Amino acid sequence: MKIIVLKITPYKDKDGIIHAISESGVVDILARSILTPKTTYSFLNTNLVVADVELLEGNYKYPILKRATSIFVPLKEKCDFGYLNSLLCISEMFSSLIQDDEIVDFFNILCHALLYLKKTDNVDLTLIYLFAQIFSRTGFALEVDKCVYCHKKTDIKGFSFSEGGFVCKNCLSEDMEIDSLSQKQMLIFRSIYKLKKLEDFHEELNHEDAIEILKKIYGFVIDAYGTDIKNLKLFLN
């Protein structure tokens, strides 16, 4: 079984519970002595590592790890703060924003994003893409092709996470909570939101525009999910 490790929780002395995403959903695995310095599977202590695991057969409270093989480690020999912080942010968002019954589709999405991130160092694009994927699959899909109210495709003048997407000139009103994104930033977010693969993004995304989009995402996550992604806040500061 292939898994992506989200985090490990200490459990009875030197053991740990591996919280992970598998191809079939969320899985918690008991790993004996995983927290000892000389553990055979020290690579599993790295968040977002992709591994192939085999479990002991039997009826246990938690499935017990029998053996594991590392497939992919997102850390690189040289990582700057932004890169390391992005990994922490990704781990936190997947642990905090997704319910167990919603996570089935995310294994391949997250694998793809981690491979792209390690290859390109494009932290900004990867973070916005993963938040967009989470929104669209957890009950907060956004309308980015037309006005969310009248469905008009022209004269789009604003964007609002709380209203559900684009708003045209005729539907825009003073009492709406409109996010202050520029026309360029709205179009960039639209393109990222509709991406199937990160490699298909060919527009210019500078860091300043990405930060403005991520600031709006940060506020929306707090309002909609009731969760403060602390590592995203750290990234924005």
Side-chain angles (χ1 to χ4, degrees), residues 14-150:
K14 300 297 184 180
D15 299 343
I17 301 296
I18 301 171
H19 305 281
I21 301 175
S22 73
E23 293 171 296
S24 57
V26 171
V27 61
D28 291 335
I29 301 169
L30 174 58
R32 300 291 191 193
S33 302
I34 190 70
L35 301 179
T36 59
K38 295 183 179 180
T39 177
T40 305
Y41 305 118
S42 58
F43 61 86
L44 291 174
N45 284 302
T46 303
N47 284 1
L48 302 177
V49 67
V50 183
D52 194 358
V53 301
E54 183 180 349
L55 307 177
L56 288 175
E57 295 182 5
N59 186 20
Y60 304 103
K61 180 179 179 180
Y62 293 104
I64 298 176
L65 180 68
K66 182 178 181 181
R67 62 174 59 94
T69 305
S70 175
I71 297 175
F72 170 80
V73 178
L75 288 177
K76 302 186 293 183
E77 289 185 9
K78 295 182 179 180
C79 301
D80 61 20
F81 172 79
Y83 186 91
L84 289 171
N85 185 252
S86 71
L87 295 179
L88 293 172
C89 184
I90 292 167
S91 181
E92 187 179 359
M93 74 168 83
F94 274 83
S95 298
S96 304
L97 302 184
I98 307 171
Q99 301 299 316
D100 289 359
D101 58 350
E102 297 171 330
I103 212 162
V104 175
D105 294 336
F106 282 106
F107 181 87
N108 290 329
I109 291 170
L110 185 50
C111 275
H112 161 65
L114 292 173
L115 287 166
Y116 177 85
L117 177 61
K118 188 170 184 178
K119 179 181 178 181
T120 66
D121 284 332
N122 196 332
V123 170
D124 296 336
L125 176 58
T126 304
L127 288 178
I128 297 172
Y129 169 80
L130 285 175
F131 274 114
Q133 293 296 318
I134 289 174
F135 296 160
S136 66
R137 288 167 169 78
T138 57
F140 293 98
L142 299 166
E143 178 55 76
V144 296
D145 286 318
K146 53 186 179 290
C147 176
V148 70
Y149 290 105
C150 70

Side-chain angles (χ1 to χ4, degrees), residues 130-174:
L130 285 175
F131 274 114
Q133 293 296 318
I134 289 174
F135 296 160
S136 66
R137 288 167 169 78
T138 57
F140 293 98
L142 299 166
E143 178 55 76
V144 296
D145 286 318
K146 53 186 179 290
C147 176
V148 70
Y149 290 105
C150 70
H151 308 302
K152 186 179 179 181
K153 294 186 177 182
T154 56
D155 289 330
I156 300 298
K157 295 299 181 182
F159 179 83
S160 172
F161 282 103
S162 61
E163 299 293 335
F166 284 169
V167 182
C168 75
K169 180 180 179 180
N170 293 335
C171 295
L172 198 63
S173 64
E174 293 183 357

Side-chain angles (χ1 to χ4, degrees), residues 80-89 92 123 127 131 207 211 214-215 218 222 228-237:
D80 61 20
F81 172 79
Y83 186 91
L84 289 171
N85 185 252
S86 71
L87 295 179
L88 293 172
C89 184
E92 187 179 359
V123 170
L127 288 178
F131 274 114
H207 186 59
I211 289 295
L214 286 167
K215 283 180 179 178
Y218 175 74
I222 291 176
D228 182 359
I229 304 296
K230 294 178 176 60
N231 284 293
L232 177 58
K233 183 178 181 179
L234 186 62
F235 180 81
L236 295 173
N237 292 332

Side-chain angles (χ1 to χ4, degrees), residues 203-215:
E203 299 181 34
E204 180 184 352
L205 174 63
N206 62 51
H207 186 59
E208 290 72 23
D209 286 331
I211 289 295
E212 288 304 310
I213 294 170
L214 286 167
K215 283 180 179 178

